[in-house]
Amino acid sequence: MERWREQYLGIEAIPETLTEAEIAFFFRLDEDSLQVVTSRRRPMTRLGLVLHIGFLRMSGRHLSALERVPSSVLAFAGDEVGVAAPQLATLRAIYRRRMTLFAHQRLAASATGISAANEAQLRMLTAYLRRQAETVLVREQLVTAARRWLYDHAFLIPTDRSLEQIAARAQEYALGELKNAIEASAGSDTVAGWTVKLSAVGPNPDQALLDWLRASPKGSGARAIGDVQKRIAVLHALGAERLILPEVPIERIRQHAIRISRRKASTLPRLNEPRRTVEIGCWLRLHLLEMTDVVLMQTSRRIGQLWSDARRKVEERALEQLNQYRTGVDTIISALDDYDLSDREFRERVSKAVLPLRSAPATRGKVQAIRNQMATTPGPLRLLLKQADAICLTIAPDHPLSVAMHTLRNAYNGRELGLMPWQIEPFLKNPPAALRAARTASDRLAAYEVATAMLLKRSLRNGSVSAPHSAHHRSVADQLMPTLQWHKLRPQAVRDNRWAGSIDAYLGRFREALSLRATMLDDAIGAADVGIVNGRFLVPKLRALPTDPATDSTRTALFAAIGAVQLPEIIVAVDARTGFSSLLLGREATGADELQALYAAILALGTDKTAAEMARMVDGVSDDRIELAMRAMEDNGHLRAASDAVAAEMLATPLAVHWGSGVAASADMMSLDATRRLWLSRIEPRRRVPAIGTYTHISDRWAVIYDQPVLLNERQAGVAIEGALKQNIIAIQRLAVDTHGFTHFAMAAAKLLGFDLAPRLADLASRKLFLPHDVSVPASLEPMVERVGVSRAAREGWDGLLHLILSLKNGHGSAATIIARHGSAAKGMPVYEAGTLLGKVLRSLFLLDYLVKPVFRREVHRVLGQGESVHQLQRAIFAGRIEAKHARNLREVAATSGALTLLTNIVMAWNTAAMQKVVDREGADRFPAEHLGHIAPVAFRHINMHGKLHFPIEHYAGVAVAGRRQA
């Protein structure tokens, strides 16, 4: 069943808002139905049968005799059977006898093949809902799934009360099964004590244990890490590490856990079983995973902070030494120029000038100097490593970090303040320079600690060290599909995706294209379109296309015809067309008050206003109700579905075809200012203010098709790939990114996943062309070519790379996490080597196209420029900063990002519809297509986004309010 038809399942009357296309879809008769209808003698009887058959097709239910029928539906039904449509207030005029109504209902059921479900079929429905209840927690969504199942199996949809009873039984069954699994994992005695322990007073006298466990981390210092580790220890004592539920998806655990994360500790005893055990057990498990991720992030960040502090001191010392050097040189020059000095005086002055330079320590480079500086103050790093040793990590016995941590553990336990030369076992083959230079046992221990800390940080990044009780730091193998499943699916996957059996064969496919593009680049160099000087490309900047005054006048006339509008009216109008409020609630709103609270909550999250601030802007809605709606959106994860519905409606507008191909998109990050107290905030490099990033994928037809929160100052290649995979609005063929969204490994992954990565590269002029040895190039390009060969590691890693790619395609693991594990820290690993080699060749092919095809280059910049324009609209909507109350974890930040994306799509969808309405009214001659392609729907100066807010729900009949659409 098409998704748009689900909104009509189970309704009790014909809606007033049906479009002409929908009326024709449901009420047009096929040959069999037409034969049943024309066999009746009376015209009104034939008309009534058409209405019954069409309504049964639309809703899966029989049509009531007491409801009004829209005139447009009556007219169409009359045309179907050649009857002039009468003016009817209700169907009572046709069905004065109830028996006639029942007879027509039976005839309609016979004509459509729909019948009432018997007991055996209802048991099949119950079994289906039990399976659905394993992943769907909201009862209204189960009822919707039941309606869809009944309709797909040609059964009449019973009353909502009956379906709710069946859904409730399915939920109770699923909860009971999950409770049994939790008790089997953690033990019945442990489970029985959860409520009492979590409700009791915790380490802080004024807090229950549950509230203490839920407290957000407060930084990455030693005390903050210690606090998180105390919480992890308590979670272990509560049996959270024993809650291994391999058959339960992490999303289901998260949905149950969200419920307990909002409850007060005093309400736990009032929860009924099995819900109490399920919610507490899932929360304990999820919180252990999240706290483990937090402590690992704190550890990695703390190592980075210590490195940065040491680097700053090294740079300050280097600047001081430079000043000393300049002063000494100036003194020597002045002594040379002073011919009155004797030889002795000259030597004394020069010796005094160079004395500070002689005492400066000699280093082999900046990295060694930073390591030496870290080793001079070993206290903070030593404390950090002791804390890291308490983290439950999975380290292979032959991994250098395993031996290093064991050595340090023995030293700490024995209260030794130094190491002997023979104790530096993991680093004997290639010891860091600081470790080789250490002379005393204490210096050797300090240098050993620095080397171990950097190895720990790198191992966490490349995934060679993992944590079993973690969501993001599990081993890469655990995040991929099982090996047996991979071997079973491999042959078919290689054929379906047109992969190759070896990396050599796959690279061979690009040999001809690389040679051709190299020849084209040689021609461009000969024509002086591109140059090579001193090993760098000289690429002329793209000149801006000349502006057409006619386009500007068309844009002005178009938005003058649209006129000024209030943001609340835009929200209601788009909801009337798309029904996004029903998607957010999981049902139709109970009334206008609930809709107003929902709209206010969207604005509060998307503009980061508090519920109290929003309540002062909207009359008749309390801040408590807005706060509840905000929390519901943070918890239920429906913002993406709502935004997708708005984006799909926008892209379906005929005007959208003028803006792009529909198969290209851009991905880029926008920083949102945040309070400094947020654990997830980072310093934004340009403006030097705390911020959190939202990473958006934007179609070349302007709609935002995916968003996700990201931490600043981290590579974004993984999130770029993840968004392209998870969005379901368009079929992406090319994704434009900036340098932060690009790595060679990500470029290879994108190609194998079925789309091209098109990066706007920084320092383009110095980029080399990585070409296989068997690709011939003109002599003019040789200075820019670096030959690459297929190493043994790359050949060995090809199968693992395909395993990884198929796992991502099938939804195993997170692309953001897995791609991040294959960054530069994974150098030497076979999968990394295979992916990086392929990515280098693909990037070279892209660079050749980029250099020789100005049109292609302009298109990449255009799509990225569209993203920047959308970000300007988002900054106009989100004018404040993210405060701590609704950004304590990534889930809450994702809600802020999702609400902002929804509001952005709402504004663009309304602009698009308004533009389309004006063009349809005044014609293509007034607004030619060549002008419309340059007029974007991101304008916002005509929209009032401030002041008192009034949502004119009463003016829009299409807004989904329970009981209203059937009127």
Side-chain angles (χ1 to χ4, degrees):
M1 173 187 293
E2 298 89 341
R3 186 172 178 178
W4 65 271
R5 295 175 58 185
E6 293 182 6
Q7 60 184 315
Y8 299 117
L9 290 182
I11 62 175
E12 297 175 355
I14 303 174
E16 295 279 355
T17 56
L18 286 177
T19 65
E20 293 182 2
E22 289 173 332
I23 293 172
F25 183 87
F26 291 121
F27 291 90
R28 176 165 285 127
L29 300 178
D30 55 26
E31 293 183 4
D32 294 338
S33 300
L34 185 61
Q35 186 176 356
V36 173
V37 172
T38 55
S39 65
R40 319 311 291 178
R41 291 179 299 172
R42 296 179 56 204
M44 290 296 100
T45 301
R46 295 199 295 270
L47 181 65
L49 270 176
V50 174
L51 296 176
H52 277 286
I53 292 173
F55 186 77
L56 194 55
R57 286 175 176 169
M58 178 169 60
S59 70
R61 281 181 173 168
H62 288 307
L63 180 62
S64 170
L66 303 178
E67 301 295 338
R68 182 180 180 275
V69 179
S71 58
S72 56
V73 176
L74 275 176
F76 186 88
D79 291 340
E80 283 292 288
V81 292
V83 175
Q87 296 297 320
L88 297 177
T90 68
L91 289 179
R92 191 186 301 276
I94 298 179
Y95 297 108
R96 299 185 185 279
R97 296 176 62 249
R98 302 288 293 180
M99 296 303 295
T100 305
L101 171 64
F102 298 150
H104 282 193
Q105 289 176 346
R106 288 193 297 271
L107 284 172
S110 176
T112 56
I114 296 177
S115 60
N118 57 33
E119 289 298 325
Q121 291 157 347
L122 288 177
R123 286 196 295 271
M124 294 171 59
L125 171 62
T126 301
Y128 169 75
L129 290 184
R130 285 180 176 181
R131 295 191 298 271
Q132 290 296 306
E134 295 178 359
T135 55
V136 178
L137 301 188
V138 181
R139 186 169 300 175
E140 289 84 355
Q141 295 178 7
L142 279 179
V143 171
T144 300
R147 294 192 189 112
R148 186 171 56 247
W149 185 91
L150 288 165
Y151 189 92
D152 289 341
H153 290 79
F155 296 131
L156 278 172
I157 297 176
T159 63
D160 288 345
R161 184 174 182 180
S162 299
L163 293 179
E164 287 175 359
Q165 290 174 347
I166 297 173
R169 290 195 296 269
Q171 282 185 315
E172 290 300 317
Y173 176 83
L175 287 174
E177 290 293 303
L178 184 52
K179 178 189 176 184
N180 294 337
I182 290 173
E183 290 179 339
S185 298
S188 300
D189 294 339
T190 301
V191 171
W194 282 346
T195 303
V196 174
K197 292 179 180 178
L198 291 173
S199 304
V201 176
N204 292 340
D206 57 342
Q207 270 186 322
L209 181 63
L210 177 64
D211 297 327
W212 178 78
L213 287 171
R214 289 188 298 206
S216 300
K218 297 180 179 180
S220 55
R223 180 177 297 180
I225 294 175
D227 288 342
V228 174
Q229 288 186 317
K230 290 177 183 177
R231 292 181 174 87
I232 292 175
V234 172
L235 290 171
H236 279 265
L238 291 170
E241 86 285 357
R242 300 197 302 273
L243 287 170
I244 308 298
L245 305 170
E247 303 299 326
V248 184
I250 186 65
E251 286 304 318
R252 186 184 178 194
I253 293 176
R254 182 173 284 110
Q255 288 173 343
H256 286 297
I258 283 173
R259 296 170 181 262
I260 209 72
S261 66
R262 299 291 192 188
R263 297 190 189 278
K264 293 182 179 179
S266 59
T267 65
L268 295 182
R270 298 200 293 268
L271 290 176
N272 295 325
E273 292 291 356
R275 185 176 301 278
R276 179 171 59 199
T277 295
V278 168
E279 290 186 1
I280 294 177
C282 288
W283 181 82
L284 288 173
R285 180 60 184 171
L286 181 66
H287 202 57
L288 176 60
L289 301 181
E290 291 178 344
M291 286 295 98
T292 303
D293 285 336
V294 166
V295 77
L296 291 174
M297 185 187 299
Q298 288 175 317
T299 300
S300 182
R301 189 178 181 189
R302 180 61 176 160
I303 294 172
Q305 288 175 346
L306 294 174
W307 178 274
S308 298
D309 293 343
R311 181 183 62 189
R312 184 172 60 254
K313 292 179 180 179
V314 168
E315 290 173 347
E316 291 173 353
R317 186 166 61 242
L319 181 61
E320 181 182 350
Q321 290 174 352
L322 179 61
N323 291 333
Q324 291 176 346
Y325 175 80
R326 288 175 174 172
T327 302
V329 170
D330 291 341
T331 302
I332 294 173
I333 292 175
S334 63
L336 288 171
D337 293 339
D338 189 353
Y339 295 99
D340 296 333
L341 291 177
S342 65
D343 289 349
R344 181 178 179 181
E345 292 173 332
F346 177 80
R347 289 178 177 276
E348 289 178 352
R349 187 176 296 185
V350 171
S351 297
K352 185 177 180 180
V354 301
L355 183 61
L357 302 181
R358 287 179 173 178
S359 60
T363 61
R364 293 190 177 183
K366 187 175 181 180
V367 172
Q368 180 184 339
I370 295 173
R371 287 177 177 264
N372 291 340
Q373 179 62 40
M374 291 179 68
T376 59
T377 54
L381 190 59
R382 187 165 298 165
L383 177 58
L384 177 64
L385 288 172
K386 290 179 180 179
Q387 291 176 322
D389 190 43
I391 303 173
C392 181
L393 296 175
T394 301
I395 310 175
D398 58 344
H399 196 289
L401 184 63
S402 177
V403 183
M405 295 299 291
H406 179 74
T407 301
L408 291 178
R409 189 181 306 116
N410 291 338
Y412 298 153
N413 292 339
R415 299 184 180 276
E416 299 176 9
L417 298 179
L419 291 179
M420 295 296 103
W422 53 267
Q423 289 180 294
I424 59 174
E425 176 65 28
F427 309 109
L428 279 178
K429 295 180 181 178
N430 187 22
L435 199 53
R436 292 197 303 267
R439 300 302 180 190
T440 66
S442 58
D443 290 345
R444 198 174 294 113
L445 175 61
Y448 193 91
E449 289 170 328
V450 172
T452 302
M454 301 314 299
L455 178 60
L456 173 61
K457 183 178 177 68
R458 180 180 180 183
S459 300
L460 289 173
R461 286 180 58 196
N462 63 25
S464 61
V465 168
S466 60
H469 306 299
S470 166
H472 297 294
H473 287 277
R474 292 180 297 148
S475 67
V476 174
D478 289 342
Q479 299 182 59
L480 304 182
M481 68 168 55
T483 304
L484 291 177
Q485 184 182 3
W486 157 243
H487 288 309
K488 180 179 179 181
L489 297 178
R490 186 187 190 283
Q492 187 66 38
V494 170
R495 289 193 298 270
D496 292 345
N497 294 284
R498 299 187 68 251
W499 296 333
S502 67
I503 189 172
D504 300 86
Y506 196 77
L507 289 174
R509 299 177 181 180
F510 306 103
R511 185 182 303 112
E512 184 177 347
L514 288 167
S515 297
L516 176 61
R517 301 303 195 283
T519 303
M520 294 171 63
L521 180 57
D522 183 56
D523 294 340
I525 293 173
D529 296 331
V530 180
I532 298 177
V533 177
N534 297 327
R536 295 173 61 89
F537 284 115
L538 293 181
V539 186
K541 291 184 178 181
L542 288 173
R543 295 182 179 179
L545 294 175
T547 57
D548 186 357
T551 301
D552 294 336
S553 62
T554 300
R555 181 185 295 106
T556 301
L558 185 59
F559 282 98
I562 291 174
V565 66
Q566 303 290 325
L567 181 58
E569 184 175 353
I570 287 177
I571 294 174
V572 179
V574 174
D575 189 20
R577 295 199 305 269
T578 64
F580 68 78
S581 61
S582 297
L583 294 171
L584 288 174
L585 294 170
R587 52 175 172 77
E588 291 184 342
T590 56
D593 290 344
E594 185 176 25
L595 272 180
Q596 286 196 87
L598 179 68
Y599 296 153
I602 296 171
L603 284 169
L605 280 176
T607 61
D608 206 62
K609 290 183 173 62
T610 65
E613 290 172 335
M614 192 56 61
R616 290 194 291 269
M617 300 171 67
V618 182
D619 291 332
V621 182
S622 68
D623 57 346
D624 289 340
R625 193 161 188 176
I626 295 174
E627 182 71 28
L628 287 175
M630 293 170 69
R631 290 186 175 182
M633 283 190 288
E634 288 174 349
D635 293 346
N636 61 28
H638 293 169
L639 279 164
R640 176 154 296 123
S643 183
D644 286 353
V646 176
E649 193 265 350
M650 171 186 168
L651 295 176
T653 307
L655 186 65
V657 300
H658 300 301
W659 292 328
S661 63
V663 296
S666 66
D668 198 7
M669 187 201 74
M670 183 184 79
S671 61
L672 303 175
D673 290 353
T675 176
R676 190 178 296 273
R677 295 189 298 273
L678 275 183
W679 148 248
L680 295 171
S681 66
R682 302 289 188 270
I683 297 300
E684 204 270 338
R686 296 178 182 174
R687 296 177 294 127
R688 307 301 300 172
V689 296
I692 295 176
T694 174
Y695 199 82
T696 52
H697 287 65
I698 300 169
S699 165
D700 66 347
R701 293 180 177 176
W702 293 102
V704 182
I705 57 177
Y706 198 80
D707 73 278
Q708 55 192 313
V710 295
L711 300 180
L712 269 64
N713 306 323
E714 293 188 2
R715 298 291 292 188
Q716 299 153 7
V719 292
I721 301 254
E722 179 159 343
L725 283 175
K726 287 191 174 181
Q727 67 83 29
N728 53 15
I729 304 297
I730 66 173
I732 294 180
Q733 295 181 9
R734 184 174 64 248
L735 181 66
V737 297
D738 61 8
T739 303
H740 290 290
F742 159 80
T743 64
H744 288 124
F745 189 90
M747 197 146 195
K751 185 68 175 180
L752 293 170
L753 286 167
F755 62 93
D756 294 322
L757 213 58
R760 180 175 57 190
L761 297 170
D763 195 20
L764 176 68
S766 62
R767 299 280 179 170
K768 295 291 185 179
L769 298 173
F770 297 100
L771 301 179
H773 294 284
D774 56 354
V775 175
S776 59
V777 298
S780 62
L781 299 184
E782 285 296 342
M784 302 304 298
V785 172
E786 182 174 327
R787 296 292 180 176
V788 292
V790 182
S791 64
R792 182 202 294 183
R795 288 192 176 94
E796 293 174 352
W798 178 248
D799 192 72
L801 178 62
L802 298 186
H803 183 186
L804 183 152
I805 297 301
L806 188 61
S807 298
L808 294 181
K809 287 176 75 74
N810 291 357
H812 292 266
S814 162
T817 301
I818 293 175
I819 298 295
R821 295 289 175 270
H822 292 85
S824 59
K827 187 176 182 180
M829 295 183 176
V831 174
Y832 170 84
E833 294 298 331
T836 300
L837 173 61
L838 176 58
K840 286 181 175 180
V841 174
L842 291 172
R843 196 268 290 157
S844 301
L845 182 59
F846 164 79
L847 183 57
L848 288 168
D849 279 333
Y850 190 86
L851 293 173
V852 303
K853 299 178 180 178
V855 175
F856 175 69
R857 194 188 328 163
R858 190 179 298 277
E859 178 64 13
V860 172
H861 284 257
R862 183 188 71 82
V863 176
L864 284 168
Q866 284 184 332
E868 296 294 339
S869 298
V870 173
H871 289 168
Q872 290 181 13
L873 170 59
Q874 290 184 308
R875 292 193 184 281
I877 296 172
F878 192 96
R881 69 174 188 175
I882 300 178
E883 298 295 339
K885 188 174 183 180
H886 289 283
R888 291 166 294 188
N889 52 53
L890 278 176
R891 186 184 70 252
E892 293 180 353
V893 178
T896 299
S897 174
L900 177 58
T901 296
L902 175 58
L903 288 172
T904 305
N905 277 336
I906 286 173
V907 170
M908 292 194 293
W910 188 90
N911 279 339
T912 302
M915 293 163 65
Q916 184 69 57
K917 185 176 180 181
V918 173
V919 171
D920 292 342
R921 183 178 67 240
E922 301 192 18
D925 293 337
R926 179 68 181 86
F927 298 104
E930 57 270 20
H931 293 173
L932 294 175
H934 298 282
I935 302 176
V938 294
F940 56 86
R941 292 184 180 179
H942 61 297
I943 302 173
N944 182 15
M945 301 184 185
H946 307 287
K948 295 289 288 186
L949 304 178
H950 171 67
F951 300 99
I953 299 171
E954 65 278 4
H955 296 160
Y956 291 88
V959 178
V961 179
R964 176 174 169 177
R965 294 177 60 193
Q966 288 76 27

